[in-house]
Amino acid sequence: MELQLNRMDYLQVGVTSQKTMKLLPTSGRRATQKVVIGDQDGIVTCFGIKKSEAVPVFKTLPGQKISRLELGGALGTVQEKVFVAAGSEVRGFTKRGKQFLSFETNLTESIKAMHISGSDLFLCASYIYNHYCDCKDQHYYLSGDKISDVICLPVEKLERITPILACQDRVLRALQGSELLYEVEVPGAPSVLTLNDGNGGESGEEILYGTSDGKIGLIQITKNLPVPKWEIFNEKKRGGVLCIDNFDILGDGVKDLLIGRDDGSVEVYGYDSANEPVLCFEHALTESITSIQGGCVGKDGYDEIVLATYSGWVTGLTTEPVYKEAGPGEDIKISQEMQNKIASLRSELEQLQFKVLQERERYQQSSQSSTAVSAVPVFSVNDKFTLNRDDASYSLILEVQMAIDNVLIQSDVPVDLLDVDKNSAIVSFSICDTETNGNFLLATYRCQANTTWMELKLRSIEGQYGTLQAYITPRIQPKACQIRQYQIKPLSLHQRTHVIDESRPMNTLSLTGQFSFAEIHSWVVFCLPEVPEKTPVGENITFYFQNTFLDTQLECSYRKGEGVFKSDNISTISILKDVLSKEATKRKINLNISYDITEESVGHTLKMIHPKLEYQLLLAKKVHLIDALKELQIHEGNTDFLIPEYRAILEDAEKLQEEYKKQPAHLERLYGMITDLFIDKFKFKGTNVKTKVPLLLEILDNYDQAALMKFFDTA
């Protein structure tokens, strides 16, 4: 069934956080629902829609930033009480806006996630989970990594309390009381959880999760073990999932899956006969979707998807037709209601334009005065800096509540900027004087009018570490700029994983010395991404990593006074040795370093690089042939005389050039990695082979795997 939805913008509040908008259930004869939303100014706004206009029900006074909003009530009754988390406090309001609860928790940090089930309240700060019943502390759990969301399986169905935490280390943790029941590995860092069908499905044990890299999955959390049902991979390279809801928008009696993403994508999935999700509808907004709900808000009898965006817009995608059905020979007519709305918007726009002119004049006059003080405007920036496993690149997403004028990117380490299809900004590069001011990159992105969201992609070089800075300037007067900093780590292309291949030939680096568990953990945090900053609980810890560019692996095991690092790539061990030595020297700690190098690991790493190198060399060769082949085609008038291989190159010319353009310096990177591997192999033997690098590059230019292996063995 084809779904047609029309966009309606209802109201704008302040900047919103994830999961801070809900639809109140209907009571009695009234079929349209009220919307309740909390913003970062601390205001809770509840409104309904009457004749296409927003009518306020209640609005609270400003306060601390609202991080979560949930509906609750006694089990088995209508869930119409509004609960908001702000700072370390939870407040409760009736549907009329009367405050009946103000609960100051014992959390030292702000609440990041909240779930309510009857008289049970589940709260999470960055690493801490707390369970309260009737505002009395019941259970507590300290997570191994940052918690992004919390949910509890329905108590009325299962008659047991099973909270589930979504954690940044790509794990869902199921709890029982204050104890860990078990962990479930998921394919990305989970960012949001919700009950399937709103009630956990038939079993009451099914939960839906969305990840920060855009994947979606359904998993059954039984008493003893998890049962994965299905996963949807992010093949279209959409944004991360911020919100999920279940609602029958297709009208087929089965609740559909509604998804909101951080790049403004809205998706509706129906289910096929095998209960597998199928994409039925998608729509793109220009800013991130922080909340999504299915219901009926605008007009009785017309279902819709209600969205809250980062800048505070409440928008409906409604099944109500904007145009009246035209009879035979008639033109399509806009409904009278819509015509009235257009007229009222026009008059509102004229009034606003007049008001802006007046205020501008006032500002100009006051700025002439000697006593005038220019205030720096405050604005919110929402940013995300993440490593993509698919193409081993970093994605930097910047979102501002108003239009962005320009973004300056500055880096003191070499990084390559990659092309992004979604980015319409014009980029210009400045010449960098690396020796004088240490800059390796200076790039300015000039944005088109009304751009509030932009994505940049870049790739770093392992072993080179420093800081990337973004200077964000929005279109406001007086001009103001915010600086955001992002650390490029020594092993920046490594990503956390939970299992490694034990059969690979591994090189080992061992450290001993007078250092504490917290000190060696801080060194690992400095070297590798995705490691929790908080020192782990216990006496020792083991982390596993995978290199997203080469698929090599790394195992880090350490405790007080001892650290063991194993990798099948010598260059990884070499980088760790250099950086850890430097960090220990800074703190005046004497380290005893020993290493065990396995010769076979070099050949193994070269075999892993081989298919990537071969592919890139072939791609470069094909791209260089395109112009000559096109000239031949023009000269001869057709391509019949060409061999099939060359005809295929001409047919795919555009695709090949686009791929080559998207991967600048890819070949140079692979050459660099092979060169580093060559130097590092002999460095551990105490031999300097830098003079032989030109010979190695000559072999790479006329690449043959056997010749390269022989060179490594005999050099």
Side-chain angles (χ1 to χ4, degrees), residues 54 102 108 159 222 227 240 417 421 428 464 517:
S102 176
T108 50
E159 295 180 353
T222 67
V227 183
L417 283 178
D421 295 336
S428 55
Q464 311 230 20
F517 186 30

Side-chain angles (χ1 to χ4, degrees), residues 539-555:
E539 291 182 2
N540 63 324
I541 190 80
T542 301
F543 290 121
Y544 300 112
F545 296 89
Q546 187 173 24
N547 184 318
T548 52
F549 197 79
L550 292 181
D551 292 329
T552 56
Q553 58 193 28
L554 169 66
E555 179 187 334

Side-chain angles (χ1 to χ4, degrees), residues 549-569:
F549 197 79
L550 292 181
D551 292 329
T552 56
Q553 58 193 28
L554 169 66
E555 179 187 334
C556 306
S557 301
Y558 53 93
R559 59 191 205 187
K560 182 185 173 183
E562 186 187 357
V564 178
F565 303 88
K566 294 179 182 178
S567 175
D568 52 343
N569 185 349

Side-chain angles (χ1 to χ4, degrees), residues 128-171:
I128 297 161
Y129 152 85
N130 273 72
H131 169 206
Y132 302 90
C133 185
D134 289 325
C135 298
K136 290 185 179 69
D137 211 336
Q138 299 290 313
H139 299 290
Y140 163 92
Y141 179 76
L142 182 62
S143 169
D145 209 332
K146 282 188 177 173
I147 303 165
S148 47
D149 206 1
V150 62
I151 203 157
C152 181
L153 297 180
V155 179
E156 60 272 33
K157 267 191 173 186
L158 301 176
E159 295 180 353
R160 68 172 194 267
I161 293 175
T162 310
I164 293 119
L165 310 180
C167 302
Q168 287 293 303
D169 53 357
R170 293 180 174 73
V171 160

Side-chain angles (χ1 to χ4, degrees), residues 605-624:
T605 307
L606 286 172
K607 279 176 190 165
M608 294 194 81
I609 295 173
H610 170 69
K612 293 175 175 64
L613 183 59
E614 201 172 43
Y615 179 79
Q616 287 299 324
L617 284 165
L618 191 61
L619 179 66
K621 188 181 166 187
K622 283 177 179 177
V623 169
H624 291 143

Side-chain angles (χ1 to χ4, degrees), residues 11 22 74 125 147 188 196 223 331 371 404 523 541 583 586:
L11 183 80
K22 291 283 182 187
I147 303 165
N196 188 28
K223 255 185 180 178
D331 291 331
T371 56
I404 303 169
W523 301 342
I541 190 80
E583 286 301 298
K586 270 187 206 170

Side-chain angles (χ1 to χ4, degrees), residues 331-349:
D331 291 331
I332 293 171
K333 291 175 184 171
I334 295 175
S335 65
Q336 187 58 46
E337 207 170 286
M338 189 55 75
Q339 285 176 11
N340 295 345
K341 191 167 185 185
I342 291 166
S344 89
L345 280 170
R346 278 201 180 122
S347 92
E348 197 180 327
L349 195 61

